[in-house]
Amino acid sequence: MSENVSLGNEELESLATEFRSIFDIQHRKYGFPARTYRNCFVGEEAVARLLETGMAIDEGDALRLGNLLMAHGVFHHVQRAHSFKNEYLFYRFAVDEDHGGVAAEASQESWVKWADFLSSGGAGRRGEKVLQPTLPEPDVNLASMDQVCLEEVGISPLDEYNAQLLDNVHPRAWRDPEPKPKYNLVVIGAGAGGLITAAGAAGVGGRVALVESHLLGGDCLNVGCVPSKALLACAKAAAHTREAHHYGVRIEGEVRVDFGFVMERMRRLRAQISPVDSAARYANQLGVDVFQGRARFIGKDRVEVNGKELNFAKAVIATGGTAALPNIPGLKESRYLTNSSIFNLTELPERLGVIGVGPIGMELAQAFQRFGSRVTAFSRSGRILPKEDREAAELVRESIERDGVKIVFHAQYQRIEGKDSEAPIRLVLAKDGGEEVHEFDALLVAAGRKPAVADLGLEKAGVDFDSRKGVLVNDQLQTSNPDIFAVGDVAGRYQFTHMADFMARQVIKNALFFGKDKVSELIVPWATYTDPEVAHVGLYQRDLKERDIAYTTYSREFRHLDRAIVDGREQGFVKIHVSRGKGNILGATIVGSGAGDMISEITLAMQSGTTLGSLAAVIHPYPTMAEAIRQCGDAYNRDRLTPTIKSIFHNLMALRR
């Protein structure tokens, strides 16, 4: 039997029941001083029983069968440190532990699974165009789903893929575990930072509780990285198809995008990824107590969730952030979209307005234009991507405008009109002493993020916070309560999934193992996935000037790179800043196709202290886009050849002729 076999629910349940019935399950002691492990069986005894009963034909078959069930979360090693082995190791069935789980049965009004709710006809809104869910943000308490309508979940429409997603990240009939006497760690929020913190702490033997009121996986899985990149892939395919004639590929007729298919594909892929972040995985496979509800601090070492009190030695706040709404009269009453609701669309808006020209706004503006919308984006300033290198942002602007996006700069918002679901949304700007009106079928607000700190009881926990800056932490991510830490968007200025990941890794060390890891020591790259992409790490030129750091910049335009020329990807450049006279890399920006992948080489160099000159000695395959990095290194090494050194070399060569 292969360990890669996938079992259906009924087959898995039947096999697990039979498997469990033949084992000697009892409390066992091990170690000195002896520790009691409850409700366990022994690996070598289990293998012997499988052979005796004929469930396995030999030892190898028994091990494959056991590891197959382990992979499905049926049982695990008591410390989650071993696979199923024919050794004196203790294992425990998931049913013998209480980390929470889906209720065995429920009433018709409270379906066990969202898929059951769907098949019952309860999802009467299937296929409906939803511009704004009533409660799209994770600030609301969605722990009890029995009476909550579909829009309040923040995920729509409830087709088979979204039903699968919700069954994983917000099970409809989740049963909280009974709280343990005390937890090593209570984690509030199950986005990237919270999930990694919980998994890591449980993996080193900690007793961990994870509390989430909305959707496990947070923004990244549900309304951020995963769905947006799925859409961008389709948008890029459409653009490349339209440009195929540049490569001698002739396409007859108009290139049209099936927007319904694009969105269904996104929902399918999001659901496919979701088991990794699922409540069942964290409870059954990782041994984390999963609570579905809103946690509120009721003391400096206690939180309450669904009327149950959780006592902790340490806690981590990982509640993330929500979309910030600019102060425009009429906006809150209008039919606006945010990143939490735009992925619910099932029909392509003919006209889309975008307020905000940061990464989210620009990525989605370009994508929807390529899908066939007429997109207009609005900036209060005179540029897009205001935090990025000016030259890089200008290249992105040129590309987006070539795609057809109209960008209105220096926008002075007067008001928004659009309560009537049948009428267009009207964005009114001040213009030359009068007014300028833009009409849209949908309006996306992408004007930044705000930390989710409301209704957490932070005052009772002695945790200082700011509604704009979020939870205030020191360099070790510790709050004003030394036993409470914070990670991710709720506590950091770098609002990226990968940053939350590494903050979580630091918190595990600092909170549980007396570590002193500093968040300021992290070298953080990031990327904006427009076409072309923009990626950056380290300091910008403006930062270097403000800090009065002596530097030299080396750059290489892709139009001089062989691979870029033959691929038709000549737009863009690599720009690297180094300390003057030393070559230590201080920062870099890459704009162009694949920039988000290329930046990692420079990040690694900065992390390891490798100089730009040393990168010139790294052999890069020819032809690749990353050769531009090596060529910047070559340029640095050439500059080190002063006139005196060049003269010496010249004379030396003359003597050898």
Side-chain angles (χ1 to χ4, degrees):
M1 176 179 291
S2 171
E3 296 173 26
N4 296 321
V5 172
S6 179
L7 299 175
N9 289 337
E10 292 185 6
E11 184 181 9
L12 178 64
E13 184 176 346
S14 174
L15 184 58
T17 300
E18 184 178 4
F19 202 77
R20 189 173 186 277
S21 67
I22 66 172
F23 293 160
D24 180 19
I25 298 173
Q26 57 179 281
H27 301 341
R28 301 175 188 270
K29 293 185 177 182
Y30 186 78
F32 182 83
R35 176 181 174 182
T36 299
Y37 292 90
R38 303 176 62 84
N39 300 320
C40 301
F41 64 90
V42 178
E44 60 186 15
E45 294 177 3
V47 170
R49 287 293 294 153
L50 288 171
L51 296 175
E52 290 173 10
T53 59
M55 288 190 68
I57 58 176
D58 55 31
E59 179 184 348
D61 191 40
L63 294 177
R64 284 190 291 272
L65 177 59
N67 281 301
L68 173 65
L69 292 180
M70 283 191 77
H72 282 79
V74 172
F75 69 88
H76 56 82
H77 178 253
V78 289
Q79 295 180 342
R80 290 177 166 81
H82 296 281
S83 60
F84 183 58
K85 299 178 180 179
N86 188 14
E87 298 177 13
Y88 191 72
L89 296 171
F90 295 169
Y91 299 88
R92 182 182 297 124
F93 281 88
V95 295
D96 292 324
E97 292 184 334
D98 182 18
H99 299 296
V102 176
E105 58 184 26
S107 66
Q108 187 173 1
E109 291 75 27
S110 175
W111 304 98
V112 172
K113 291 190 175 183
W114 286 98
D116 298 334
F117 180 67
L118 172 64
S119 64
S120 74
R125 307 173 195 270
R126 186 179 185 185
E128 180 183 342
K129 177 182 178 182
V130 179
L131 285 182
Q132 181 192 1
T134 308
L135 300 170
E137 302 289 0
D139 281 341
V140 297
N141 184 358
L142 299 180
S144 175
M145 292 303 230
D146 293 346
Q147 304 300 322
V148 175
C149 71
L150 178 60
E151 282 81 357
E152 290 175 326
V153 180
I155 297 293
S156 176
L158 191 58
D159 62 1
E160 61 180 305
Y161 304 120
N162 276 343
Q164 179 185 344
L165 171 73
L166 289 171
D167 283 340
N168 284 324
V169 302
H170 199 118
R172 189 171 173 81
W174 185 258
R175 175 189 56 77
D176 288 342
E178 284 302 311
K180 307 303 185 292
K182 192 170 185 177
Y183 290 95
N184 295 104
L185 196 66
V186 168
V187 181
I188 302 173
L195 290 174
I196 292 167
T197 302
V204 295
R207 179 179 288 171
V208 181
L210 176 65
V211 187
E212 174 57 62
S213 66
H214 197 230
L215 307 172
L216 276 82
D219 274 13
C220 184
L221 171 66
N222 298 292
V223 294
C225 312
V226 169
S228 67
K229 301 313 167 278
L231 262 60
L232 295 184
C234 295
K236 184 176 288 189
H240 288 179
T241 303
R242 294 186 181 108
E243 297 169 356
H245 63 278
H246 293 302
Y247 300 87
V249 179
R250 306 299 177 188
I251 297 174
E252 301 297 331
E254 180 184 0
V255 176
R256 301 179 65 184
V257 174
D258 183 343
F259 185 72
F261 179 89
V262 168
M263 299 304 284
E264 182 177 289
R265 174 184 181 272
M266 176 274 294
R267 296 193 297 271
R268 171 171 54 82
L269 297 179
R270 180 172 61 180
Q272 179 180 325
I273 293 170
S274 66
V276 176
D277 293 346
S278 67
R281 174 173 179 260
Y282 272 75
N284 298 337
Q285 296 185 28
L286 302 182
V288 174
D289 281 9
V290 177
F291 294 83
Q292 189 165 278
R294 176 167 292 282
R296 294 179 181 85
F297 288 98
I298 56 175
K300 293 191 174 183
D301 60 356
R302 292 170 295 147
V303 300
E304 183 181 69
V305 55
N306 299 333
K308 298 179 179 180
E309 187 173 306
L310 311 183
N311 297 296
F312 59 80
K314 305 291 181 181
V316 174
I317 302 167
T319 49
T322 62
L325 297 181
N327 187 22
I328 304 174
L331 173 59
K332 292 182 180 179
E333 295 76 32
S334 70
R335 308 186 317 276
Y336 66 89
L337 294 160
T338 69
N339 72 296
S340 290
S341 51
I342 193 168
F343 301 109
N344 293 341
L345 291 177
T346 56
E347 297 177 12
L348 182 69
E350 184 176 342
R351 300 166 298 176
L352 175 67
V354 179
I355 295 177
V357 290
I360 295 174
M362 290 297 89
E363 287 178 4
L364 293 176
Q366 186 177 41
F368 274 76
Q369 182 72 36
R370 289 175 164 185
F371 290 149
S373 290
R374 299 200 306 274
V375 179
T376 304
F378 298 87
S379 170
R380 292 184 186 271
S381 69
R383 54 177 297 196
I384 68 169
L385 302 178
K387 295 182 180 181
E388 293 298 342
D389 176 276
R390 184 175 289 273
E391 290 182 76
E394 186 63 16
L395 283 178
V396 175
R397 181 193 64 78
E398 293 173 0
S399 176
I400 287 177
E401 289 184 333
R402 276 198 305 272
D403 281 326
V405 175
K406 179 182 178 182
I407 304 176
V408 177
F409 294 106
H410 304 292
Q412 300 179 46
Y413 304 115
Q414 292 291 94
R415 65 184 179 278
I416 294 175
E417 304 167 352
K419 295 181 182 179
D420 187 346
S421 61
E422 301 300 322
I425 301 169
R426 294 163 55 88
L427 174 58
V428 183
L429 307 179
K431 184 74 171 180
D432 299 328
E435 293 183 341
E436 179 179 280
V437 179
H438 297 263
E439 291 191 347
F440 303 105
D441 302 296
L443 179 66
L444 170 64
V445 178
R449 308 279 293 165
K450 62 179 181 180
V453 293
D455 199 26
L456 289 174
L458 296 176
E459 299 88 348
K460 292 185 178 180
V463 173
D464 293 339
F465 67 98
D466 180 278
S467 60
R468 183 174 59 88
K469 296 181 180 179
V471 175
L472 305 180
V473 296
N474 62 19
D475 210 14
Q476 282 81 39
L477 297 170
Q478 194 173 35
T479 71
S480 51
N481 180 333
D483 292 326
I484 299 177
F485 296 73
V487 301
D489 292 3
V490 76
R493 64 189 183 97
Y494 297 112
Q495 297 184 336
F496 310 117
T497 296
H498 51 279
M499 186 57 173
D501 180 330
F502 276 80
M503 291 170 79
R505 295 166 191 257
Q506 287 190 328
V507 159
I508 293 169
K509 297 177 186 177
N510 294 349
L512 302 181
F513 298 104
F514 310 104
K516 296 295 181 182
D517 284 11
K518 297 179 179 180
V519 70
S520 61
E521 295 175 347
L522 294 175
I523 296 175
V524 188
W526 57 84
T528 297
Y529 297 96
T530 48
D531 188 7
E533 295 178 0
V534 181
H536 180 82
V537 65
L539 301 176
Y540 291 98
Q541 284 175 289
R542 61 178 180 269
D543 301 320
L544 296 166
K545 292 176 181 177
E546 288 173 2
R547 302 181 190 189
D548 198 25
I549 298 174
Y551 72 96
T552 305
T553 299
Y554 294 89
S555 62
R556 183 68 169 170
E557 295 183 21
F558 288 143
R559 64 190 179 93
H560 299 305
L561 198 70
D562 293 355
R563 178 60 183 270
I565 293 170
V566 298
D567 279 1
R569 297 186 292 171
E570 299 162 80
Q571 185 183 31
F573 57 78
V574 171
K575 182 186 291 186
I576 303 175
H577 313 301
V578 301
S579 55
R580 186 171 298 166
K582 296 181 180 179
N584 296 320
I585 300 174
L586 303 172
T589 294
I590 304 176
V591 56
S593 179
D597 293 309
M598 291 174 62
I599 200 69
S600 293
E601 180 177 359
I602 300 175
T603 305
L604 176 61
M606 293 177 68
Q607 187 82 43
S608 62
T610 302
T611 64
L612 179 58
S614 296
L615 287 181
V618 176
I619 299 176
H620 290 68
Y622 174 87
T624 59
M625 300 292 284
E627 270 195 296
I629 297 173
R630 180 188 59 76
Q631 291 173 2
C632 285
D634 288 338
Y636 170 79
N637 286 336
R638 285 195 298 271
D639 280 358
R640 296 179 66 189
L641 296 176
T642 65
T644 300
I645 294 176
K646 287 182 180 179
S647 177
I648 293 173
F649 283 172
H650 179 80
N651 293 333
L652 178 61
M653 293 301 104
L655 289 172
R656 291 190 171 185
R657 285 197 288 271

